[in-house]
Every structure is written in C-alpha cells, then in structure tokens.
C-alpha cells in the first residue's frame, strides 16, 4: 500500500523540522491523499501530468517532489484552470485539496512537497 503525503512548512521552523525529519513537525501542515485521489490526479492528462509538463516535476510512486516558492503562483493557476474542466466530484475535491495546500505554502512563504512511499 502506498502513502501519499503533501507537506507544507508553515515557517522557517517548519522548514528546519521538515528537513531534519523531526518526528513531531509541529510547524508543518500535512495533507493526505488516498489511492483513488492519486489515481485521478495522476491519470494521463490529469493535474499531476500537467504539473510534470509545466513545472518540471516528476510526481510518481516512491518519489519526493517539491514545488518551490517561485513556482507556487504558476501551480495555483494551473489548478484553478484545471478545476474549470468538467470533473467528477471526487477529482474536484482532490484538486481543491491540492489548491488549499499550494495556497498554504504561498501564504507561509515556503514550499510544497509531495512524498509517495510504501507503507
């Protein structure tokens, strides 16, 4: 089984905690995706496919991928544009979670990172 975590440090302390693999990570907000969410976002032509093409990421199994502060505005615009498509309810909710996490990173002035790992 795979685990899908999106981590957003909330400040400089959160960056330190995240990079030091601190167990508590009190200053890091973590969002979780589920298998179905990931499949919808990862599908051919899906949001993560768009991220890979536009942002140079490689969001895939057993990978860690980061969207840096200077890329967040572009990533947010990509999600907003993607949400205008006719999506089913589950895919829309998954995209909204991605949008929320990206906005948190922007507000925090940090970065957005997705970690996909085996349990």
């Amino acid at each position: 089984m795979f685990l899908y975590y999106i981590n957003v440090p909330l400040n400089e302390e959160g960056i330190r905690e995240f990079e030091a693999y601190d167990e508590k990570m009190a200053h890091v907000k973590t969002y979780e995706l589920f298998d179905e969410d990931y499949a919808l976002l990862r599908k051919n032509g899906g949001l993560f496919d768009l991220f890979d093409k536009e942002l140079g990421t490689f969001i895939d199994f057993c990978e860690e991928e980061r969207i840096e502060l200077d890329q967040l505005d572009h990533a947010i615009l990509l999600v907003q544009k993607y949400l205008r498509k006719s999506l089913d309810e589950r895919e829309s909710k998954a995209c909204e979670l991605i949008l929320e996490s990206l906005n948190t990173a922007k507000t925090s002035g940090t970065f957005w990172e997705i970690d996909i790992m085996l349990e």
Side-chain angles (χ1 to χ4, degrees):
M1 181 172 151
F2 283 94
L3 301 173
Y4 313 88
Y5 294 118
I6 296 166
N7 294 296
V8 177
L10 299 175
N11 51 35
E12 288 296 321
E13 182 66 18
I15 292 171
R16 189 198 63 71
E17 291 170 353
F18 184 74
E19 291 179 350
Y21 300 103
D22 188 306
E23 264 188 48
K24 294 179 185 174
M25 290 202 302
H27 300 95
V28 176
K29 181 153 177 115
T30 300
Y31 301 82
E32 185 174 359
L33 292 173
F34 298 97
D35 288 326
E36 186 178 342
D37 301 322
Y38 177 78
L40 290 167
L41 296 168
R42 178 71 270 169
K43 70 183 180 185
N44 190 22
L47 182 63
F48 286 165
D49 193 39
L50 188 60
F51 277 10
D52 291 350
K53 289 175 183 169
E54 294 278 329
L55 302 171
T57 59
F58 182 67
I59 299 174
D60 204 356
F61 294 111
C62 299
E63 295 287 338
E64 297 174 0
E65 199 60 52
R66 185 176 289 188
I67 297 175
E68 298 290 351
L69 181 60
D70 65 344
Q71 296 177 301
L72 290 172
D73 284 334
H74 187 60
I76 289 167
L77 287 174
L78 290 173
V79 178
Q80 290 170 336
K81 182 178 177 183
Y82 190 82
L83 273 166
R84 289 188 210 119
K85 292 183 175 184
S86 179
L87 307 174
D88 69 31
E89 185 177 341
R90 181 82 190 229
E91 187 174 7
S92 290
K93 286 186 182 207
C95 288
E96 288 167 7
L97 181 108
I98 299 300
L99 184 59
E100 178 186 336
S101 62
L102 288 165
N103 278 316
T104 298
K106 180 180 176 180
T107 301
S108 299
T110 59
F111 58 83
W112 180 98
E113 184 167 309
I114 186 166
D115 299 321
I116 303 170
M117 63 195 87
L118 280 170
E119 183 175 35

